[in-house]
């Protein structure tokens, strides 16, 4: 742990990329590891614009179940360590693929959400967005303009928010070190950020496709390793 901790200590500019694994210890399932969503469901049925067009109630029921589960979850020691790191490093960018809002809840400030936010609802007709954490009883929900609302997340086959991706690219290129925590790094363009970094510390209980290429690959959970790295 000493060498990666030293690398982080000497870095003036730090970027972090997180994935579902960072929220695992808050009780939120991941997508591809044990018990992950995509081991029980086909993503084509739940996380594509085609699935939503086919059966919005079915897709919304799954999102609303996740919203209720996430509403019970609290940030864990990994989320909190990243808040602490941001206080230590004036040039700090946290890039997340997570839509659960736990980084915001923990208190992270300079946060880029690549895949949107499960608490945001967006109108398919007028395009208006609103943040709504309440229980949605009638599914699918509708906007005051009469249009149907969709979850404000990025689905497979959809582009990432352009400005967010540009900012993430710039932050990673400029960083002295990129920490990659809790992601299988299989989904692009997010995973494509990793090779752009000059030095990378990966934190994951399992090996990923990038483990052999990074500067340090640390085996363990983010709630365990991130606080020790600081
Ligand atoms: P995955 O489910 O693909 O990967 C989760 C990773 O976290 C795996 O590599 C696990 O080994 C690791 N992991 C599990 N528990 C951990 C822990 N306690 N601490 C640290 N790591 C742990 O999730 P993502 O990589 O985030 O996209 O998936 C990327 C995208 O695919 C998601 O944003 C979502 C999904 O489909 C969309 O919905 C667009």
């Amino acid at each position: 742990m000493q060498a990666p901790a030293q690398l982080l200590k000497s870095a003036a500019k730090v970027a972090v990329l997180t994935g579902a694994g960072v929220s695992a210890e808050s009780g939120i399932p991941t997508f591809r590891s044990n018990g992950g969503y995509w081991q029980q469901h086909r993503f084509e049925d739940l996380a594509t614009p085609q699935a939503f067009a086919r059966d919005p109630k079915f897709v919304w029921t799954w999102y609303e179940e996740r919203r209720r589960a996430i509403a019970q979850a609290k940030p864990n020691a990994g989320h909190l360590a990243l808040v602490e790191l941001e206080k230590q490093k004036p040039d700090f960018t946290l890039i997340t693929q997570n839509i659960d809002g736990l980084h915001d809840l923990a208190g992270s400030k300079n946060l880029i959400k690549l895949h949107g936010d499960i608490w945001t609802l967006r109108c398919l007709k007028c395009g208006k967005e609103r943040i709504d954490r309440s229980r949605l009883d009638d599914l699918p929900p509708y906007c005051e303009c009469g249009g149907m609302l969709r979850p404000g997340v990025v689905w497979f086959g959809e582009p990432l928010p352009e400005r967010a991706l540009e900012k993430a690219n710039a932050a990673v290129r400029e960083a002295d070190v990129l920490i990659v925590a809790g992601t299988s790094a299989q989904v692009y363009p997010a995973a494509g950020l990793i090779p752009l970094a000059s030095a990378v510390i990966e934190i994951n209980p399992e090996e990923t496709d990038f483990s052999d290429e990074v500067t340090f690959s640390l085996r363990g959970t983010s709630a365990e390793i991130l606080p020790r790295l600081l």
Side-chain angles (χ1 to χ4, degrees), residues 76-88:
N76 63 55
H79 296 105
L80 298 176
L82 293 174
V83 176
E84 188 51 40
L85 186 57
E86 183 165 20
K87 287 182 190 151
Q88 291 177 13

Side-chain angles (χ1 to χ4, degrees), residues 19-21 25 31-32 38 97 115 154 156 182-184 187 204-205 222:
E25 285 152 290
F31 294 94
R32 294 173 187 79
W38 302 152
Q97 300 166 83
H115 292 167
V154 175
F156 285 94
T183 178
S184 62
V187 174
N204 200 309
S222 48

Side-chain angles (χ1 to χ4, degrees), residues 67-78:
R67 284 163 53 97
R68 287 310 109 217
I70 293 169
Q72 306 292 321
K74 292 191 178 59
N76 63 55

Side-chain angles (χ1 to χ4, degrees), residues 3-230:
Q6 193 52 45
L7 171 64
L8 183 58
K9 197 170 176 202
S10 62
K13 299 183 178 187
V14 175
V16 181
L17 172 66
T18 63
V22 162
S23 294
E25 285 152 290
S26 295
I28 302 173
T30 64
F31 294 94
R32 294 173 187 79
S33 42
N34 280 346
Y37 291 117
W38 302 152
Q39 293 185 337
Q40 296 155 52
H41 307 279
R42 280 162 29 96
F43 75 80
E44 294 91 336
D45 294 337
L46 292 165
T48 63
Q50 292 81 4
F52 190 70
R54 221 166 25 236
D55 195 343
K57 185 166 183 165
F58 179 73
V59 170
W60 255 119
T61 302
W62 185 64
Y63 275 93
E64 181 56 14
E65 270 173 28
R66 287 175 67 198
R67 284 163 53 97
R68 287 310 109 217
I70 293 169
Q72 306 292 321
K74 292 191 178 59
N76 63 55
H79 296 105
L80 298 176
L82 293 174
V83 176
E84 188 51 40
L85 186 57
E86 183 165 20
K87 287 182 190 151
Q88 291 177 13
K89 306 283 179 185
D91 197 324
F92 176 92
T93 308
L94 175 52
I95 304 154
T96 190
Q97 300 166 83
N98 297 345
I99 59 174
D100 55 33
L102 288 187
H103 285 306
D104 313 71
L105 206 57
S108 285
K109 299 279 183 278
N110 193 21
L111 177 60
I112 299 174
K113 296 181 189 179
L114 290 180
H115 292 167
D117 188 310
I118 203 164
W119 305 113
T120 301
L121 312 186
R122 186 163 73 246
C123 178
L124 291 174
K125 196 168 157 196
C126 71
K128 223 196 260 173
E129 290 192 345
R130 72 162 197 254
I131 294 174
D132 188 342
R133 296 178 72 96
S134 68
R135 179 182 294 276
L136 303 172
D137 288 321
D138 282 328
L139 298 174
Y142 283 89
C143 177
E144 57 210 7
C145 81
M148 191 188 287
L149 292 164
R150 62 162 280 176
V153 301
V154 175
W155 283 323
F156 285 94
E158 292 185 321
L160 267 56
E162 206 174 322
R163 185 79 193 105
L165 189 57
E166 275 169 20
K167 277 169 67 182
N169 261 291
V172 170
R173 281 180 196 280
E174 285 163 20
D176 299 311
V177 64
L178 170 70
I179 298 174
V180 180
T183 178
S184 62
Q186 289 185 32
V187 174
Y188 287 76
L193 293 168
I194 301 168
L196 304 179
S198 58
V200 177
I201 302 172
E202 180 186 60
I203 299 168
N204 200 309
E206 288 168 32
E207 230 177 83
T208 72
D209 290 350
F210 288 93
S211 297
D212 287 341
E213 293 163 34
V214 297
T215 323
F216 296 106
S217 184
L218 308 178
R219 287 285 151 275
T221 74
S222 48
E224 170 190 303
I225 304 248
L226 278 168
R228 284 172 58 203
L229 202 56
L230 259 59

